[in-house]
């Protein structure tokens, strides 16, 4: 029995306080996070789930914290709870997601971007296959059916994303068409040991988490989702693209060195 199988057996004994935990990383999102939390609340009002919403503020210099606090009343009911976690400095999207995952108490953990570029009303498409035991991980994809993209990115950003995916497949061997769409769901008891081993803090953390989940034998499904490009992306195409490429190499190096056998703090 390998380490992932052992930790999975132990983690399945945990009691989940919520049906879902929704993690929202936020960096200088004061202009968007309030509306997004309102949309999430309106959607959850129509659902039977108990939900923990975790906003991880990544050292924002704007009013992100204040806007989230002003929205707290929307998500504090018998069935819902809003938690705000703040980094003192900007640490990166991957660091925020891992921080949120370590606090998540839901049976299913969901990741969504603060701008809701993938509309929240698609959440059931991610959650139900996991709830029914068909899959352990369901990831939204812009590449399976590009007709669902309602507002496209600038062409240079879109083609940079396609090139990244080609390189990602060559370096890691993962079969997915789109690892970077910020709309994913995970079975909580199986994914927590994965997030404990995550080492990347930046935008390529998705690849690392999916790589570890794939190696652990988790059942992963990629599904098409409606998606809209929203202006104000935090990804700097030239600087971050090079870093993301280097992070792909780091994933393989960490694997070769056996670094993933031990959790990180």
């Amino acid at each position: 029995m390998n380490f992932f199988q052992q930790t999975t057996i132990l983690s399945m004994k945990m009691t989940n306080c919520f049906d879902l935990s929704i993690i929202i990383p936020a960096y200088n999102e004061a202009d968007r996070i309030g509306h997004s939390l309102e949309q999430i609340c309106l959607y959850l009002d129509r659902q039977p789930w108990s939900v923990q919403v975790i906003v991880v503020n990544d050292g924002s210099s704007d009013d992100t914290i204040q806007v989230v606090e002003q929205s707290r009343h929307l998500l504090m009911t018998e069935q819902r709870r809003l938690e705000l976690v703040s980094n003192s400095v900007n640490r990166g999207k991957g660091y925020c997601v891992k921080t949120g995952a370590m606090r998540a108490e839901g049976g299913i953990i969901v990741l969504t971007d603060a701008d809701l570029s993938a509309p929240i009303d698609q959440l059931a498409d991610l959650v139900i296959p996991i709830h029914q035991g068909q899959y352990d991980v369901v990831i939204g994809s812009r590449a399976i059916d590009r007709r669902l993209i309602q507002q496209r990115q600038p062409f240079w950003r879109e083609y940079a994303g396609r090139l990244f995916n080609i390189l990602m497949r060559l370096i890691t061997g993962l079969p997915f068409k789109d690892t970077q769409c910020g709309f994913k769901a995970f079975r909580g008891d199986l994914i927590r040991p994965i997030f404990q081993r995550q080492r990347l803090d930046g935008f390529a953390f998705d690849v690392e988490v999916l790589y570890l989940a794939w190696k652990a034998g988790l059942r992963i499904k990629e599904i098409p989702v409606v998606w809209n490009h929203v202006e104000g992306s935090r990804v700097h195409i030239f600087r971050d693209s090079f870093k993301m490429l280097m992070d792909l190499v780091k994933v393989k190096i960490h694997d070769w060195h056996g670094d993933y056998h031990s959790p990180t703090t």
Side-chain angles (χ1 to χ4, degrees):
M1 182 179 294
N2 64 32
F3 182 84
F4 283 113
Q5 291 171 325
Q6 293 173 354
T7 52
T8 294
I9 291 172
L10 291 174
S11 63
M12 288 180 69
K13 298 178 182 178
M14 296 176 61
T15 300
N16 298 307
C17 298
F18 298 91
D19 297 323
L20 303 180
S21 292
I22 300 176
I23 301 171
I24 309 173
Y27 175 61
N28 288 343
E29 294 288 356
D31 293 338
R32 303 189 287 199
I33 191 71
H35 178 70
S36 294
L37 290 174
E38 181 179 352
Q39 292 301 306
I40 290 171
C41 177
L42 291 172
Y43 175 77
L44 294 178
D45 282 343
R46 306 192 301 270
Q47 308 303 326
W49 310 314
S50 61
V51 180
Q52 172 194 32
V53 178
I54 305 173
V55 178
V56 185
N57 168 50
D58 196 17
S60 297
S61 58
D62 65 359
D63 293 331
T64 295
I65 292 177
Q66 291 86 338
V67 174
V68 173
E69 289 293 354
Q70 291 167 5
S71 304
R72 184 176 291 276
H73 68 282
L74 298 173
L75 290 155
M76 296 299 283
T77 69
E78 290 185 2
Q79 287 287 97
R80 300 197 290 260
R81 186 172 81 203
L82 173 64
E83 297 183 20
L84 174 62
V85 184
S86 286
N87 302 328
S88 58
V89 296
N90 182 253
R91 299 293 300 269
K93 185 178 181 180
Y95 184 90
C96 289
V97 170
K98 180 175 181 177
T99 297
M102 293 300 96
R103 296 178 67 98
E105 301 174 41
I108 297 175
I109 298 174
V110 176
L111 310 183
T112 188
D113 287 335
D115 59 12
L116 295 186
S117 50
I120 196 65
D121 59 10
Q122 302 174 100
L123 183 58
D125 296 335
L126 300 185
V127 168
I128 290 175
I130 299 175
H131 177 71
Q132 293 178 340
Q134 298 172 320
Y135 296 99
D136 306 311
V137 179
V138 180
I139 63 174
S141 174
R142 299 160 293 187
I144 292 179
D145 187 353
R146 295 189 182 274
R147 293 172 298 178
L148 296 177
I149 300 177
Q150 298 179 341
Q151 179 65 42
R152 305 189 77 90
Q153 303 178 83
F155 76 93
W156 46 269
R157 187 179 290 274
E158 183 171 324
Y159 282 99
R162 294 189 186 191
L163 177 59
F164 175 81
N165 183 261
I166 292 171
L167 294 173
M168 182 278 300
R169 290 188 183 208
L170 290 173
I171 293 171
T172 68
L174 289 174
F176 309 116
K177 295 182 177 181
D178 182 8
T179 57
Q180 302 311 112
C181 178
F183 199 44
K184 298 179 174 69
F186 308 89
R187 181 174 152 181
D189 57 349
L190 299 183
I191 203 63
R192 288 185 184 95
I194 303 292
F195 278 114
Q196 287 175 343
R197 281 152 185 76
Q198 176 193 328
R199 291 173 175 267
L200 300 182
D201 290 343
F203 291 109
F205 82 94
D206 306 76
V207 176
E208 183 180 38
V209 169
L210 291 174
Y211 181 76
L212 293 175
W214 180 60
K215 283 182 63 72
L218 272 60
R219 298 166 298 169
I220 305 173
K221 176 68 173 179
E222 186 176 16
I223 66 170
V225 293
V226 173
W227 190 84
N228 296 280
H229 173 67
V230 180
E231 291 297 334
S233 171
R234 307 306 176 204
V235 180
H236 296 274
I237 191 67
F238 297 110
R239 181 194 67 197
D240 290 328
S241 293
F242 179 76
K243 186 177 186 302
M244 289 171 68
L245 177 58
M246 293 300 98
D247 280 346
L248 293 180
V249 176
K250 287 180 183 178
V251 169
K252 292 300 295 185
I253 291 174
H254 284 313
D255 192 18
W256 290 333
H257 288 177
D259 298 334
Y260 291 128
H261 293 305
S262 300
T264 60
T265 55

